[in-house]
Amino acid sequence: MSAVAMDFLQKYAPVVADQFVSMNSTQAQNTLYGDVNLESLNWLERTWASYYIWMGNPVLATGVMSFLLHEIVYFGRAIPWLIIDAIPYFHQWKIQPDKHITKEQIWKCTKVVLITHFTCELPLIYLFHPICCYFGMATYEVPFSSIGLMAAQIAFFFVFEDTFHYWAHRGLHYGPFYKNIHKLHHEFSAPIGLAAEYAHPLEVLILAQGTISGPFIYCLFRKDLHILTVYIWITLRLWQAVDAHSGYDFPWSLRHIIPFWAGADHHDYHHMAFTNCFSTSFRWWDFSLGTDAKYHAYKKRLAAAKANQRAKIEKEENERATQEGLEAERMVLMGGPNKIEKIKVGTGKKQ
């Protein structure tokens, strides 16, 4: 930052100015790790400490690392799905094989996602370090938590986020919220991995609370959470979100290993049919509350189809589900109450 800008901040916003002051390496090591024997740490922990010492500013170091992590993981997971979609061999596992995304749609999606990342998420990510410190989360500190503790914490975060997302997502399908916020995300009736965060800024902020509030709530009760664990959790959550929007269900997809895992098979139906399947990671909320009835009826009809008629039946069922979804969306956009439960299973007719 230039000297003029720093002088301005120090005069009019000293608290903000303090966040941009950097220490030299000696000062940083003495301040951050004065009582830590760095030689006793493992390679990753030493590298972690070296990074914070090199940056000389924990707030800036955490902010840069957090934003780069998000961008690298998100696009690093989404781009391979675009490559897969361009290879005809993989289309045998495409959930909606008759729907194809154009280059124009991909470019529009990319622009919206990048604008949201830089204008909405970047400022919040920069504030991540002070917020973590406020809640008592370890950031630059070493050593890290044990693998067992990390696994338990991440399991809690998954369950919390899935619960939060289910109810927030259902709320976003209510008339005014859908029309003014969530409708943008549903432009993709056959989603792609890149569209996982193709959403209105308010939706990004709302649903992000499920991802980040879990760690902060955990910190209210225990003070043994390290930001590295949160980074691992966010990485897994981004993978889950991108994969759920991939549009592909492979024989080796996680849902075939973990029966209650949602996956693309589950979420793709939500985009296709508009109603049903509101969860993210797990299926139990939809199953418990019956918001997957249409999905199960759809899967049952596909399973009953003869092998030589499977492709034809699947096409017909997908077309019917899409039309039902358009009708359900139209009713929500009319401004009345949410009519999700008013659609008779498997018909598209109002009860």
Side-chain angles (χ1 to χ4, degrees):
M1 180 176 289
S2 69
V4 174
M6 181 59 74
D7 290 341
F8 178 85
L9 287 176
Q10 287 177 336
K11 183 177 181 179
Y12 296 102
V15 175
V16 176
D18 290 342
Q19 307 304 316
F20 290 95
V21 175
S22 294
M23 302 174 280
N24 61 41
S25 297
T26 302
Q27 290 175 320
Q29 182 167 343
N30 292 336
T31 301
L32 303 179
Y33 305 106
D35 57 349
V36 178
N37 180 10
L38 298 180
E39 296 301 320
S40 67
L41 304 174
N42 62 42
W43 175 84
L44 183 59
E45 291 166 339
R46 290 197 304 272
T47 302
W48 184 274
S50 296
Y51 167 72
Y52 275 93
I53 292 171
W54 175 69
M55 289 293 290
N57 183 321
V59 177
L60 186 60
T62 300
V64 170
M65 182 160 50
S66 299
F67 185 71
L68 288 178
L69 173 78
H70 182 273
E71 298 308 288
I72 292 170
V73 172
Y74 184 80
F75 288 102
R77 192 68 171 181
I79 292 174
W81 285 115
L82 294 177
I83 297 173
I84 287 173
D85 197 48
I87 301 174
Y89 170 76
F90 292 108
H91 291 180
Q92 60 186 302
W93 295 297
K94 190 175 176 66
I95 301 170
Q96 299 185 62
D98 295 319
K99 294 181 181 178
H100 302 283
I101 304 300
T102 65
K103 292 181 180 179
E104 289 74 20
Q105 288 176 302
I106 294 174
W107 178 233
K108 179 185 177 183
C109 179
T110 303
K111 288 191 293 184
V112 171
V113 168
L114 284 174
I115 290 172
T116 302
H117 284 184
F118 279 90
T119 62
C120 180
E121 295 183 7
L122 179 57
L124 295 177
I125 288 176
Y126 184 76
L127 296 173
F128 193 44
H129 183 98
I131 297 173
C132 289
C133 292
Y134 176 80
F135 281 93
M137 185 190 305
T139 53
Y140 61 82
E141 292 87 347
V142 286
F144 301 136
S145 305
S146 67
I147 294 177
L149 179 59
M150 286 184 177
Q153 291 168 336
I154 291 171
F156 167 72
F157 301 154
F158 261 112
V159 173
F160 177 87
E161 191 282 331
D162 185 72
T163 300
F164 181 96
H165 188 103
Y166 176 85
W167 291 104
H169 191 185
R170 286 197 69 176
L172 287 171
H173 273 256
Y174 175 71
F177 298 146
Y178 179 79
K179 181 179 180 180
N180 297 296
I181 301 175
H182 192 47
K183 188 177 186 300
L184 176 63
H185 186 66
H186 270 271
E187 284 184 8
F188 287 89
S189 60
I192 55 175
L194 190 63
E197 292 187 352
Y198 178 76
H200 190 284
L202 280 177
E203 177 173 346
V204 173
L205 292 176
I206 292 169
L207 297 184
Q209 299 312 305
T211 301
I212 203 60
S213 293
F216 291 146
I217 291 174
Y218 179 92
C219 286
L220 294 177
F221 298 93
R222 293 178 63 93
K223 302 300 180 182
D224 55 4
L225 179 61
H226 197 285
I227 197 173
L228 176 65
T229 307
V230 178
Y231 283 163
I232 296 172
W233 150 238
I234 290 174
T235 297
L236 296 175
R237 172 70 181 103
L238 285 172
W239 283 355
Q240 179 277 323
V242 172
D243 289 0
H245 289 82
S246 68
Y248 284 84
D249 183 42
F250 295 114
W252 55 85
S253 293
L254 194 56
R255 79 173 186 94
H256 298 292
I257 302 172
I258 304 176
F260 53 82
W261 185 257
D265 171 77
H266 194 257
H267 193 68
D268 201 275
Y269 184 83
H270 173 76
H271 276 264
M272 178 170 58
F274 185 76
T275 62
N276 274 216
C277 304
F278 296 96
S279 297
T280 51
S281 299
F282 310 116
R283 297 173 179 243
W284 48 55
W285 277 108
D286 282 303
F287 179 78
S288 300
L289 298 174
T291 48
D292 60 357
K294 287 182 64 179
Y295 163 79
H296 284 297
Y298 161 83
K299 298 295 287 187
K300 186 177 181 180
R301 290 192 294 271
L302 289 184
K306 295 180 180 179
N308 61 348
Q309 295 182 323
R310 168 79 187 208
K312 178 184 176 183
I313 297 298
E314 182 177 36
K315 182 179 180 180
E316 292 174 351
E317 289 294 334
N318 287 353
E319 290 175 351
R320 176 163 61 173
T322 300
Q323 290 304 313
E324 289 180 7
L326 291 173
E327 173 64 12
E329 181 185 39
R330 186 186 67 81
M331 287 193 293
V332 170
L333 290 173
M334 286 172 61
N338 195 335
K339 300 290 199 318
I340 289 175
E341 277 72 36
K342 298 286 186 178
I343 301 295
K344 190 173 182 180
V345 172
T347 66
K349 298 178 181 179
K350 287 192 292 182
Q351 292 180 335

